């Protein structure tokens, strides 16, 4: 059984921006290198523009946006922009469709930036990448927009509300994968109170009901994303699955279906450059079953006796594809 794959999150762009002599084709460097994506039959890959909360965050985001643009120009035999035409003619595609996303809105506005600077930065990035697949307001820590998943008691700040107001109606989803619970609650409340037109997703998140970790979604938020016709990408990192139990990946997937996510559950592998990560307890970052994007066919094979063919198709690509077809139209 072979399905095309849509993956909602990888950090190829930050690898290319930070690491000397980096290449999108170096399989030994990063698990989402283009040859791995091709081997895994990945038809569409979201490339995150990731930044820390630093003074240089906006410059780093601009650099990654330019790298995204350059990839499309230099490697057009292998990748293409996953715009409306790509999605509409899905069955005819031979290349990997890519879209960029914002992981941490510090890349749109550092702590000192004026709103004139933020609007200019937003428009400049959008000009380079054509469309944003989603925006996450935070990463692990706090920024001017709100609290990240490792913060407590910090929700949606006034600047976060202002950014949500700005993206309303632009068909750019807001990503819950790195929010604090209080931030997630604040986002939903602000969207509803102001009647904003913003889809909600979790691009690369697992379930706290299966493994307790602040990076994982509570069932309350997962069900709310499902209720709002969003999607939830299962994350492959050991730290968020259950570091000692490889089979826990299946439990997270099954849980997504069990809470009503038949049309929401998808993949958000979260492959990134790990060689410079100092915490040795995190190595290896992935279980062998999903250690690189080339493993998708074997993962699907291992699930074929556990899920129906329709559920496998939805998980592999259909849910993500239909989500983006809907919001692009």
């Amino acid at each position: 059984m072979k399905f095309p794959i849509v993956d909602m999150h990888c950090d190829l762009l930050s690898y290319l921006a930070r690491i000397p002599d980096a290449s999108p084709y170096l399989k030994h460097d990063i698990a989402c290198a283009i040859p791995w994506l091709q081997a895994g039959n990945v038809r569409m890959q979201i490339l995150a523009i990731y930044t820390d909360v630093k003074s240089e965050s906006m410059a780093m985001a601009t650099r990654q946006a330019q790298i995204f643009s350059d990839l499309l120009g230099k490697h057009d035999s292998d990748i293409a922009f996953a715009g409306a035409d790509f999605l509409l003619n899905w069955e005819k595609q031979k290349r990997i469709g890519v879209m960029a996303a914002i992981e941490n809105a510090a890349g749109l506005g550092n702590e000192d930036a004026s709103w004139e600077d933020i609007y200019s930065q937003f428009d400049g990035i959008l000009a380079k990448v054509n469309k944003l697949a989603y925006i996450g307001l935070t990463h692990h820590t706090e920024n001017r927009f709100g609290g990240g998943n490792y913060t407590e008691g910090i929700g949606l700040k006034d600047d976060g509300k202002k950014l949500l107001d700005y993206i309303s109606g632009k068909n750019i989803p807001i990503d819950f994968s790195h929010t604090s619970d209080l931030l997630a609650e604040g986002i939903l409340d602000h969207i509803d109170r102001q009647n904003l037109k913003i889809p909600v997703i979790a691009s690369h998140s697992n379930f706290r009901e299966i493994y307790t970790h602040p990076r994982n979604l509570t069932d309350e938020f997962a069900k709310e994303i499902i209720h709002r016709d969003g999607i939830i990408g299962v994350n492959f990192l050991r730290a968020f699955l259950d570091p000692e139990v490889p089979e826990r990946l299946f439990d997270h997937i099954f849980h997504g279906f069990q809470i009503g996510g038949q049309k929401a559950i998808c993949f958000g592998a979260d492959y990134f450059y790990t060689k410079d990560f100092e915490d040795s307890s995190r190595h290896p970052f992935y279980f062998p079953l999903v250690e690189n994007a080339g493993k998708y066919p074997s993962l699907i094979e291992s699930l074929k006796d556990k899920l129906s063919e329709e559920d496998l198709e939805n998980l592999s690509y259909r849910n993500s594809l239909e989500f983006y077809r809907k919001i692009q139209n």
Side-chain angles (χ1 to χ4, degrees):
M1 190 177 297
K2 187 175 182 181
F3 292 118
I5 300 295
V6 175
D7 182 81
M8 292 293 298
H9 188 94
C10 82
D11 290 286
L12 183 65
L13 295 178
S14 61
Y15 155 71
L16 294 172
R18 292 191 306 108
I19 305 303
D21 301 319
S23 165
Y25 290 90
L26 291 181
K27 293 167 64 176
H28 64 273
D29 254 10
I30 192 164
C32 57
I34 289 174
W36 286 133
L37 297 175
Q38 292 169 329
N41 199 30
V42 176
R43 183 74 55 79
M44 178 173 160
Q45 177 68 62
I46 307 301
L47 305 178
I49 294 173
Y50 165 73
T51 54
D52 293 322
V53 183
K54 294 181 178 178
S55 59
E56 63 268 24
S57 60
M58 294 172 71
M60 177 56 77
T62 298
R63 184 177 180 187
Q64 291 177 57
Q66 185 60 54
I67 288 171
F68 178 89
S69 178
D70 292 344
L71 283 174
L72 289 172
K74 295 176 181 177
H75 306 295
D76 59 350
S77 61
D78 292 324
I79 61 175
F81 175 62
D85 184 66
F86 184 97
L87 300 178
L88 182 64
N89 296 288
W90 176 262
E91 289 78 9
K92 300 178 181 178
Q93 306 301 333
K94 303 299 182 184
R95 296 176 292 175
I96 303 163
V98 294
M99 271 198 288
I102 299 292
E103 184 179 25
N104 194 353
L108 297 175
N110 60 35
E111 300 301 285
D112 302 321
S114 69
W115 273 96
E116 183 178 351
D117 292 336
I118 292 173
Y119 295 144
S120 177
Q121 174 79 346
F122 185 98
D123 292 343
I125 287 177
L126 207 56
K128 293 179 185 298
V129 304
N130 300 313
K131 183 172 182 61
L132 287 169
Y134 52 81
I135 294 174
L137 293 186
T138 57
H139 193 245
H140 292 317
T141 60
E142 175 187 3
N143 64 21
R144 66 187 290 168
F145 304 105
N149 54 265
Y150 287 157
T151 63
E152 294 183 8
I154 302 172
L156 182 64
K157 298 182 182 181
D158 287 343
D159 279 353
K161 294 177 182 178
K162 192 167 183 175
L163 185 57
L164 290 175
D165 294 343
Y166 185 65
I167 69 173
S168 178
K170 291 181 169 63
N171 295 325
I172 302 173
I174 199 76
D175 184 17
F176 280 29
S177 282
H178 280 285
T179 63
S180 67
D181 289 350
L182 202 58
L183 175 56
E185 182 180 333
I187 290 170
L188 293 171
D189 182 68
H190 188 70
I191 287 173
D192 291 345
R193 285 179 181 272
Q194 301 301 317
N195 196 28
L196 304 181
K197 295 181 179 180
I198 302 177
V200 295
I201 69 169
S203 66
H204 57 303
S205 289
N206 297 327
F207 300 102
R208 212 174 296 177
E209 188 72 18
I210 300 301
Y211 183 69
T212 301
H213 194 287
R215 263 291 278 112
N216 293 340
L217 294 170
T218 66
D219 276 5
E220 176 187 8
F221 291 125
K223 289 177 181 179
E224 191 61 34
I225 291 170
I226 293 167
H227 173 71
R228 294 171 187 248
D229 297 324
I231 50 178
I232 300 171
V234 174
N235 190 306
F236 291 171
L237 280 162
R238 281 196 316 124
F240 310 141
L241 293 169
D242 182 336
E244 306 303 324
V245 186
E247 294 79 14
R248 202 67 78 216
L249 170 60
F250 301 129
D251 295 334
H252 285 283
I253 291 172
F254 300 152
H255 187 72
F257 283 100
Q258 289 163 1
I259 62 173
Q262 288 83 358
K263 300 298 184 182
I265 195 76
C266 58
F267 291 126
D270 200 6
Y271 291 126
F272 64 97
Y273 182 78
T274 62
K275 292 183 178 181
D276 59 350
F277 206 89
E278 295 179 356
D279 184 356
S280 61
S281 69
R282 293 286 300 274
H283 294 272
F285 279 79
Y286 310 97
F287 290 115
L289 177 64
V290 288
E291 63 188 353
N292 59 61
K295 295 287 188 173
Y296 273 114
S298 59
L299 173 60
I300 298 302
E301 184 70 18
S302 68
L303 286 165
K304 72 175 185 179
D305 296 329
K306 304 175 180 70
L307 294 172
S308 69
E309 183 170 348
E310 180 182 2
D311 284 344
L312 270 177
E313 182 179 32
N314 287 341
L315 171 68
S316 298
Y317 76 96
R318 180 67 64 184
N319 288 341
S320 301
L321 174 64
E322 295 304 328
F323 176 81
Y324 279 107
R325 279 177 170 173
K326 177 178 64 179
I327 68 169
Q328 293 227 14
N329 289 330

